[in-house]
Amino acid sequence: MELKFSKVERKGPITIVTLSRPEVYNALHTDAHFELQKVFDDFSGDPEQWIAVVTGAGDKAFCAGNDLKWQAAGGKRGWDKGGFAGLTSRFDCDKPIIAAVNGVAMGGGFEIALACDLIIAAENATFALPEPRVGLAALAGGLHRLPRQIGLKRAMGMILTARHVSAKEGFELGFVNEVVPQGEALTAALRWAEMIAKNSPMSIRASKQAIQKGLGVSLEQAIAEQRDYPAVQAMVASQDYIEGPKAFSEKRPPKWVGK
C-alpha cells in the first residue's frame, strides 16, 4: 500500500510509524485514519515485528488531533474499527507501542499517546484535551484513559479546563515516562524499545495482556484467571519459554524467536 499520510520504517523487530501531515501539525482526517488502520494491522500481524514507536513528522507536532479545517470544509469524518489513527480502539494488540511525542499532542493526538503503553516526551511537548473549546468532547478514549492513568481529580482538572500541560508536568502527573531534550524524543523512545526487545516477546505480550485484562476485574479474579489468557497460554507453549531458563543455566544471552 502506498502511504500518503504516514511513513513506516523497520529497525530489526521495531516498527517506527511517523504521522506525516506536517503542514497541518500532523492533524488527521478520514483518509489518514484508514491508512493508519492498515499500518497497525500490518504491524500487529507481522511476527517479525515486536514493538512499535509512533512519532510525528517535523519538530513542532506529534499530532494536533482531528483536522478541524477539513471538518469545517465539509470533509467526511470517521475511522475504522481501530479508532483514531487506527490505535485508540485497538484493544487486541498485545505488542508494546511507544509514543515519541516531539511537540504538540492535542485532542486526538493526546488520545493516541494515551493509547500507547509508554510516552516519551521532548521538553517542547504539550498535551491537552481542548475539545470543549470547539464544542466537542474527547470521545476517542481520552475521557476514559486519562482518569485511569492519573486519577480522577487530576484528570478532571485537565479535561474541564481544557488547559495545556507541559512535558514536565505530564511526567509529574504520571502519564509521561521520560522527558528528554527537544529533538531527542524518537532516539529516547528507540532506546526504550531496544530495552524491551532484549526480553522475550512472548513474555512481553503475556505481561501486557494480563495487565490490560486484569485492570477490568477484581485483583482476586485477575490472579485466578491470568493463566487462561491467550497470550499467557501462548507464552507457556512457546520455544522462548524453554529458551529462557536454558540460556540462564548455560550463562549465555537468550536467543528469542517470538514463538
Side-chain angles (χ1 to χ4, degrees), residues 9 28 69 92 146 148 153 167 171 175 189 198 212 220 242 245:
E9 179 185 0
L28 302 179
K69 291 183 178 179
D92 59 352
L146 192 60
R148 285 167 167 79
K153 290 295 188 289
F171 179 78
F175 66 78
K198 291 180 180 179
Q212 289 181 317
E220 181 180 3
I242 298 171

Side-chain angles (χ1 to χ4, degrees), residues 57-84:
D59 58 0
K60 295 181 179 179
F62 172 72
C63 175
N66 179 41
D67 189 340
L68 292 176
K69 291 183 178 179
W70 166 274
Q71 180 180 340
K76 180 183 176 183
R77 288 198 67 195
W79 44 70
D80 208 335
K81 61 183 179 180
F84 199 93

